[in-house]
Amino acid sequence: MSVDRVYLFDTTLRDGAQTTGVDFSLADKIQIAAMLDGLDIDYVEGGYPGANPLDTEFFSEKRTKQARFTAFGMTKKIGRSASNDPGIAALLESKSDAICYVGKAWDYQVRVALEASLEDNLDSARDSVLTAVKAGRETMLDCEHFFDGYKANPDYALSVAKAAYDAGARWVVLCDTNGGTLPHEIERIVGEVIKQIPGDHLGIHAHDDTGQAVANSLAAVRAGVRQIQGTLNGLGERCGNANLATIIPTLKLKSEFSNHVTTGVSDEALKRLTQVSRGLDEILNRSPNRHAPYVGASAFATKAGIHASAVMKDPQTYEHVAPESVGNRRKVLVSDQAGRSNILAELERLGIAVKKDDPRVTRLLDEVKEREGLGYSYEGADASFFLLARRIIGEVPEFFRVERFSVNVERRFVEGSETETVAEAFVKVNVGGEVLISAAEGNGPVNALDLALRKDLGKYQRHIETLAIVDYKVRVFQGGSDAVTRVLIETADKSGERWTTVGVSGNIIDASFQALIDSITYKLLKSGVTA
Ligand SMILES: [Zn+2]
């Protein structure tokens, strides 16, 4: 049985940059291009040289080592020749290996949006491809609105695709630009197109407006296309593009695909997938989607006691693929439904050695249940659970003791009726007998407290300097007769490691303080510092 090569084309830096709230800097783009290279992606589309100064600068050098560095741009304007089109000149001047044009394939769009004749639009696709091919570039055409166009006027949509192919385009990419097409339609239409253009010259570009961009891409591969365009984490306008972080492991790990097609992604690169996916979120300053397929923190998490013990006996009972294959990990959640098996599994993962029948495991389980009754939640607060377990099984040194702290929030008039609100915190810490006093201002009380606490911890200072709070969540709920506040703090260090801690109190500052102390203690413990 012959196995076909499927090529992966990433457009995170071009179509992904259309996402609301996403704005890549030059440094971001350089970093992301390198990450994609490390994933063994075949094509990295970097943007639109000539359209804005940032993209022009990005394309002033080749930014990938392995992947083919691809520039995106429009086909030539109607009424001028491709060799005389400034947009195309900018593409050819760029340091790209390949050029991906976008052109219209829907007759209605040509007439209404472009106000051009169908023949002129066809000529634009043909002439633009010819010009890039003649200049020695690998060339492709994204046929915009191909599927809608095909449904409205199959002959015309096909004629655009065919014109590009006949002019020498390496790839003709069928785009579901509105994202409204369904998998069975994709499979049927690709099946028609492939009678005219061979599958190893056809690509798919799907958007997620019906939640099926991945399914649509896979349907197209089943029908014979051999290039997939998508983005990391499904970034993209509206509902996003096809998510390569889902497509890649599916192609590699599911026999339905791996028996028929192969990708350029090595097993080692696949193990970097989780890290790359979360690295992108880091750059975007977003919390990773815990429930993302394959790479989410919850993708291999089990909660209920009965599942947890089965998972420990044989992971295949509840896991469709091995978490390590995509660089993720198995997680057994500690919760109020926790049984002994959950706790034991979690201790094993955290590297805390203990015998199954050790009475301290029962004590830890009782402690977790009691604390969860008070409002603590360890499911999302790994680092606090780690500290709790280490205190009961083993020990946690007292690195420092906060003797007192105070936080003051003041709203004052500055000029006339202008007001400003300032928060100041004061902290008195004892570090191995040495008393250190620090004060700091912040944009809010928790921020001020965090800054004051981390301003001077004496001999530990160098271990905590690069810490930053990346997420702060508050939940207020009724516990007994009073309202109880639970604070979850997610901290990151400069290596990109993240951990979450929890604090509970009737007072939000106090709850935050507990979570901050846990976070610093965890970091010191993990750094191998001794008290
Ligand atoms: Zn698109």
Side-chain angles (χ1 to χ4, degrees), residues 354-380:
V354 63
K355 286 213 171 71
K356 272 190 178 167
D357 51 2
D358 191 315
R360 291 177 299 179
V361 176
T362 316
R363 259 177 55 213
L364 176 61
L365 186 57
D366 291 345
E367 182 78 26
V368 167
K369 287 191 170 163
E370 193 185 320
R371 286 174 157 255
E372 286 188 327
L374 296 172
Y376 286 83
S377 165
Y378 288 103
E379 237 171 62

Side-chain angles (χ1 to χ4, degrees), residues 11 14-15 18 142 175-177 205-207 229 237-238 240-241:
T11 181
R14 201 274 300 170
D15 229 1
Q18 302 300 315
D142 272 9
C175 300
D176 186 27
T177 308
H205 175 113
H207 279 265
Q229 298 197 344
E237 206 172 10
R238 308 186 309 276
N241 285 56

Side-chain angles (χ1 to χ4, degrees), residues 1-165:
M1 184 172 39
S2 72
V3 174
D4 283 358
R5 176 77 151 82
V6 166
Y7 293 81
L8 298 166
F9 181 108
D10 180 278
T11 181
T12 304
L13 297 174
R14 201 274 300 170
D15 229 1
Q18 302 300 315
T19 317
T20 318
V22 166
D23 209 0
F24 294 124
S25 67
L26 181 64
D28 292 342
K29 285 195 157 208
I30 292 171
Q31 198 182 343
I32 293 167
M35 284 161 46
L36 291 165
D37 233 356
L39 258 190
D40 299 344
I41 299 288
D42 298 293
Y43 296 89
V44 170
E45 190 175 55
Y48 195 165
N52 61 71
L54 191 149
D55 281 4
T56 305
E57 195 183 343
F58 187 56
F59 276 94
S60 65
E61 283 174 43
K62 180 172 156 133
R63 306 290 185 178
T64 54
K65 286 198 179 76
Q66 271 193 61
R68 298 189 63 73
F69 191 42
T70 308
F72 172 86
M74 313 276 271
T75 51
K76 81 168 183 77
K77 287 209 169 55
I78 309 285
R80 60 167 79 206
S81 75
S83 53
N84 199 21
D85 185 297
I88 293 181
L91 291 175
L92 294 175
E93 273 162 34
S94 74
K95 294 279 188 292
S96 59
D97 304 306
I99 288 175
C100 182
Y101 288 113
V102 59
K104 296 201 183 302
W106 186 359
D107 60 349
Y108 164 78
Q109 284 249 335
V110 174
R111 278 193 295 261
V112 176
L114 215 55
E115 296 182 37
S117 78
L118 297 183
E119 191 45 53
D120 279 350
N121 178 60
L122 208 56
D123 179 56
S124 168
R126 188 186 299 121
D127 192 17
S128 305
V129 170
L130 270 176
T131 303
V133 170
K134 240 190 268 167
R137 298 297 172 90
E138 180 173 345
T139 308
M140 37 198 123
L141 178 72
D142 272 9
C143 298
E144 200 186 12
H145 296 290
F146 183 84
F147 293 94
D148 293 317
Y150 189 92
K151 286 185 219 169
N153 184 343
D155 290 343
Y156 187 69
L158 261 175
S159 70
V160 173
K162 197 79 172 41
Y165 177 65

Side-chain angles (χ1 to χ4, degrees), residues 323-511:
E324 304 77 35
S325 61
V326 292
N328 207 341
R329 63 177 204 208
R330 178 172 309 127
K331 199 169 168 194
V332 180
L333 298 172
V334 181
S335 77
D336 52 10
Q337 301 176 32
R340 235 185 138 75
S341 48
N342 290 54
I343 294 269
L344 284 167
E346 194 59 8
L347 290 174
E348 190 186 325
R349 184 180 70 76
L350 295 172
I352 300 176
V354 63
K355 286 213 171 71
K356 272 190 178 167
D357 51 2
D358 191 315
R360 291 177 299 179
V361 176
T362 316
R363 259 177 55 213
L364 176 61
L365 186 57
D366 291 345
E367 182 78 26
V368 167
K369 287 191 170 163
E370 193 185 320
R371 286 174 157 255
E372 286 188 327
L374 296 172
Y376 286 83
S377 165
Y378 288 103
E379 237 171 62
D382 248 13
S384 286
F385 175 75
F386 178 78
L387 291 174
L388 183 68
R390 275 285 293 258
R391 283 193 176 105
I392 291 174
I393 302 159
E395 61 172 324
V396 176
E398 191 183 46
F399 295 109
F400 60 92
R401 193 170 66 243
V402 177
E403 295 191 345
R404 52 176 290 228
F405 74 83
S406 74
V407 179
N408 183 41
V409 178
E410 183 186 348
R411 186 162 195 225
R412 60 191 177 205
F413 287 96
V414 275
E415 261 171 63
S417 58
E418 290 269 305
T419 61
E420 69 172 12
T421 305
V422 284
E424 296 155 328
F426 157 92
V427 179
K428 187 176 173 187
V429 211
N430 187 321
V431 183
E434 189 188 2
V435 174
L436 301 162
I437 293 172
S438 304
E441 279 189 13
N443 55 23
V446 175
N447 179 236
L449 184 60
D450 175 42
L451 293 174
L453 204 51
R454 289 194 295 110
K455 198 165 189 175
D456 189 5
L457 274 187
K459 56 180 174 174
Y460 305 128
Q461 194 56 25
R462 67 189 177 90
H463 298 286
I464 58 167
E465 235 143 33
T466 66
L467 301 194
I469 295 180
V470 289
D471 200 10
Y472 177 84
K473 284 196 203 87
V474 180
R475 235 196 104 193
V476 180
F477 51 92
Q478 207 64 30
S481 58
D482 291 318
V484 175
T485 303
R486 177 202 295 149
V487 168
L488 284 166
I489 287 180
E490 191 175 13
T491 312
D493 64 16
K494 71 165 187 298
S495 75
E497 210 209 321
R498 287 169 174 247
W499 58 94
T500 305
T501 52
V502 61
V504 171
S505 168
N507 179 311
I508 187 170
I509 299 294
D510 207 41

